């Protein structure tokens, strides 16, 4: 905790909490919230009734809890908002991705023999950006070009620097004037549509290869996905996905013998190449077609070797807890009243944010509602998604945990009817000081 917050007000708050008669109860709530930095406060009550007779077995009310509220973890996936809950989300994601690769959590171990690939779909180039180039442990110049052209803005489009990791200039355009900011935010905005079209094209290709219609294929083959979006430093998203072939009933059933890893590779390659999203003409430029970038990475996931199931699960789980803040932008929607020039972001991000607002006012792109997604640089999708049959859902893992942790458990599976009201969130400065030491001692 930085010393500035360690003021008299915080110390007073801490002392009165520590001396409160219900301190132990409060500390138990905080511990159960797992070190959450911004717990949700709920007021309400729950009744436990026998499922057969309807008889009241137990009654719970927050009236007797400290401050009259129950504190629950915020459950955010964003590390920038709550490190503790994001860590829980990361760990849950890790386990369910891994279960989809080698079984566990109710997924049979035989799933490990199903054809399965780790695929990275990239964004195309929207202009040269400063890049760290590494090859065999040696750093190479960024964009060294002999006789590099000078652009219309008077910049020589070359950079001989060997950039270090984390250098602020990385991801910044060589010439901001030439950079296609509209293309970048439109790609982010349409990435979920491109993904949808990619999965459709993939299924069609597989069906055709098996000599089946799409409808017939459902009797033989199902495709499962788990994907995550990763922001590049230049502010566009890449998608990483686990793509697996199952039999018609999901991971518990074998795919047909003709559905091989090679066929899946061919289908992914085909689908990534053919899909497109059209953007109508803007006021000052012609219509454009957006596609995945030329760089397409397809790798088989194996139990031993280059790309193991644990490595893939860790990779997806890591990006599931990040948002656009990793490119130095904001973690909340930007309001029209915000002063763009004053936002604490990199200039490149500021230009992409401004582009979202500009496109929001153009008829051709108004329905993308880009002003609302400006803080995400246009991306409006979910960061981490899975198809229904991939493995268990994150909700299942959590229900399993929270049901045991929250309310008192009774032996005979009663019906629980609750009435809850959201009354706030967060910790006071004094409470935060104690919560820090409690979670440190876990
Ligand atoms: Zn939290
Ligand atoms: Zn450079
Ligand atoms: Zn230029």
């Amino acid at each position: 905790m930085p010393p500035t917050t360690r003021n008299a007000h915080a110390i007073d708050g801490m002392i009165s909490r520590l001396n409160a008669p219900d301190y132990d109860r409060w500390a138990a709530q905080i511990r159960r919230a797992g070190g959450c930095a911004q717990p949700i406060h709920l007021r309400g009550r729950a009744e436990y009734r026998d499922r057969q007779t309807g008889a009241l077995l137990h009654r719970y009310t927050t009236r007797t809890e400290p401050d009259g509220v129950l504190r629950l973890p915020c459950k955010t996936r964003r590390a920038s908002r709550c490190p503790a809950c994001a860590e829980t989300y990361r760990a849950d994601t890790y386990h369910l991705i891994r279960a989809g690769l080698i079984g566990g959590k109710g997924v049979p171990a035989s799933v490990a023999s199903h054809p399965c690939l780790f695929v990275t779909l990239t964004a195309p180039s929207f202009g040269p950006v400063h890049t760290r180039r590494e090859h065999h442990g040696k750093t190479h110049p960024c964009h060294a070009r002999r006789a590099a052209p000078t652009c219309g803005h008077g910049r020589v489009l070359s950079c001989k620097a060997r950039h270090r990791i984390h250098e602020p200039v990385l991801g910044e355009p060589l010439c901001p004037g030439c950079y296609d900011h509209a293309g970048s935010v439109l790609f982010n905005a349409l990435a979920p549509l491109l993904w949808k079209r990619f999965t459709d094209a993939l299924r069609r290709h597989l069906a055709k290869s098996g000599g089946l219609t799409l409808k017939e294929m459902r009797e033989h083959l199902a495709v499962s996905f788990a994907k995550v979006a990763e922001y590049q430093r230049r502010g566009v998203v890449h998608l990483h996905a686990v793509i697996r072939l199952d039999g018609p009933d999901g991971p518990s059933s074998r795919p047909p013998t003709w559905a091989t890893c090679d066929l899946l590779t061919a289908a992914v390659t085909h689908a990534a190449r053919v899909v497109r999203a059209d953007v109508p003409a803007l006021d000052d430029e012609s219509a454009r077609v957006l596609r995945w970038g030329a760089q397409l990475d397809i790798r088989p996931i194996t139990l031993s070797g280059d790309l193991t199931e644990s490595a893939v699960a860790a990779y997806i789980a890591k990006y599931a807890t990040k948002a656009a803040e990793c490119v130095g932008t904001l973690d909340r929607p930007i309001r029209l009243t915000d002063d763009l020039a004053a936002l604490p972001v990199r200039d490149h991000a500021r230009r992409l944010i401004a582009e979202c607002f500009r496109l929001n006012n153009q008829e051709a792109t108004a329905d993308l509602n880009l002003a609302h997604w400006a803080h995400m640089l246009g991306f409006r999708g979910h960061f981490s998604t899975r198809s229904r049959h991939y493995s268990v859902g994150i909700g299942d893992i959590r229900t399993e945990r929270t049901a045991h942790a929250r309310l008192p458990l009774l032996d005979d599976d009663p019906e629980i009817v609750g009435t809850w009201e959201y009354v706030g969130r967060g910790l006071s400065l004094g409470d935060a000081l104690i919560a820090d030491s409690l979670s440190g001692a876990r």
Side-chain angles (χ1 to χ4, degrees):
M1 172 140 304
T4 47
T5 57
R6 206 172 285 215
N7 54 29
H9 174 65
I11 306 275
D12 279 354
M14 182 171 85
I15 291 170
S16 54
R17 177 66 75 191
L18 286 169
N19 287 318
D22 56 4
Y23 169 77
D24 288 345
R25 184 88 188 153
W26 177 86
Q29 277 196 12
I30 295 297
R31 276 198 203 91
R32 281 192 312 203
C36 177
Q38 47 173 17
I40 309 286
H41 301 178
L42 291 183
R43 195 181 296 154
R45 57 183 191 278
E47 289 186 344
Y48 295 57
R49 290 187 181 276
D50 187 291
R51 283 184 195 279
Q52 260 80 52
T53 65
L56 183 67
L57 302 170
H58 179 76
R59 187 178 271 144
Y60 169 83
T61 165
T62 54
R63 226 175 306 142
T64 53
E65 296 284 4
D67 309 317
V69 296
L70 182 65
R71 290 173 176 82
L72 299 180
C74 70
K75 294 189 178 180
T76 183
R77 62 166 186 83
R78 296 192 164 191
S80 56
R81 287 188 190 160
C82 175
C85 291
E87 174 52 28
T88 308
Y89 188 93
R90 192 200 59 73
D92 288 349
T93 305
Y94 175 86
H95 288 298
L96 66 90
I97 295 294
R98 198 159 176 270
L101 297 171
I102 57 163
K105 306 260 168 215
V107 180
S110 57
V111 77
S113 66
H114 296 196
C116 191
L117 297 173
F118 187 57
V119 174
T120 298
L121 294 159
T122 63
S125 170
F126 299 104
V129 296
H130 292 282
T131 310
R132 179 177 151 82
R133 294 188 196 282
E134 231 188 318
H135 197 59
H136 295 307
K138 262 183 77 179
T139 312
H140 293 264
C142 170
H143 279 280
R145 291 179 69 182
R146 240 181 291 258
T150 303
C151 77
H153 310 93
R155 289 185 190 242
V156 181
L157 295 180
S158 155
C159 172
K160 296 196 178 71
R162 293 166 204 269
H163 295 299
R164 296 181 312 275
I165 305 174
H166 305 312
E167 217 175 285
V169 75
L170 291 175
E172 294 282 325
L174 263 53
C175 174
C178 289
Y179 197 76
D180 182 8
H181 297 90
S184 178
V185 298
L186 287 169
F187 178 84
N188 281 349
L190 294 171
L193 179 67
L194 279 173
W195 168 258
K196 163 86 175 58
R197 291 185 174 164
F198 165 79
T199 59
D200 289 346
L202 179 69
R203 287 197 178 92
R204 276 198 303 274
H205 188 89
L206 289 169
K208 205 172 148 201
S209 306
L212 303 166
T213 65
L214 265 181
K215 204 172 159 208
E216 288 163 350
M217 186 170 78
R218 271 185 236 137
E219 310 288 311
H220 303 269
L221 177 68
V223 190
S224 287
F225 306 97
K227 81 166 197 313
V228 74
E230 178 203 355
Y231 272 88
Q232 304 292 292
R233 282 195 65 105
R234 61 184 166 124
V236 284
V237 289
H238 282 184
L239 298 185
H240 304 284
V242 172
I243 306 179
R244 190 187 67 212
L245 298 182
D246 297 329
D249 300 323
S252 58
S253 53
R254 281 191 179 283
T257 49
W258 55 265
T260 61
C261 210
D262 284 348
L263 175 66
L264 180 57
T265 305
V268 166
T269 310
H270 167 82
R273 295 281 169 260
V274 298
V275 295
R276 54 186 274 175
D278 294 276
V279 184
L282 302 170
D283 288 353
D284 50 353
E285 45 187 300
S286 48
R288 48 174 94 219
V289 177
L290 292 169
R291 298 174 180 279
W292 297 113
Q295 200 191 328
L296 169 68
D297 193 43
I298 306 176
R299 295 202 279 165
I301 303 165
T302 51
L303 295 186
S304 57
D306 272 2
L307 192 61
T308 62
E309 85 291 342
S310 305
V312 168
Y315 198 77
I316 290 198
K318 175 177 147 198
Y319 286 109
T321 60
K322 293 193 177 205
E325 69 262 16
C326 55
V327 292
T329 179
L330 302 164
D331 195 14
R332 58 165 177 85
I334 299 165
R335 289 177 288 270
L336 275 170
T337 48
D338 284 331
D339 179 4
L340 284 195
L343 293 178
V345 298
R346 283 164 53 203
D347 284 345
H348 182 52
R350 195 186 320 280
R351 286 187 296 266
L352 293 168
I353 289 167
E355 192 63 14
C356 287
F357 283 100
R358 188 182 77 86
L359 294 176
N360 197 63
N361 294 328
Q362 297 235 351
E363 207 185 316
T365 44
D367 59 351
L368 293 174
N369 195 14
L370 280 163
H372 187 74
W373 302 102
H375 65 300
M376 307 282 275
L377 310 180
F379 183 64
R380 54 205 281 135
H382 292 287
F383 263 76
S384 165
T385 59
R386 287 161 301 279
S387 55
R388 198 159 47 92
H389 285 306
Y390 176 76
S391 78
V392 289
I394 208 151
D396 299 334
I397 291 188
R398 295 188 156 191
T399 314
E400 186 185 289
R401 182 176 335 103
T402 46
H404 288 79
R406 292 302 142 220
L407 298 168
L409 278 182
L410 300 183
D411 285 343
D412 35 290
D413 181 33
E415 186 185 11
I416 307 176
V417 182
T419 329
W420 303 101
E421 180 194 0
Y422 171 88
V423 288
R425 70 156 60 196
L427 293 168
S428 70
L429 290 176
D431 282 358
L433 285 173
I434 311 173
D436 261 8
S437 61
L438 285 176
S439 56
R442 268 184 306 150

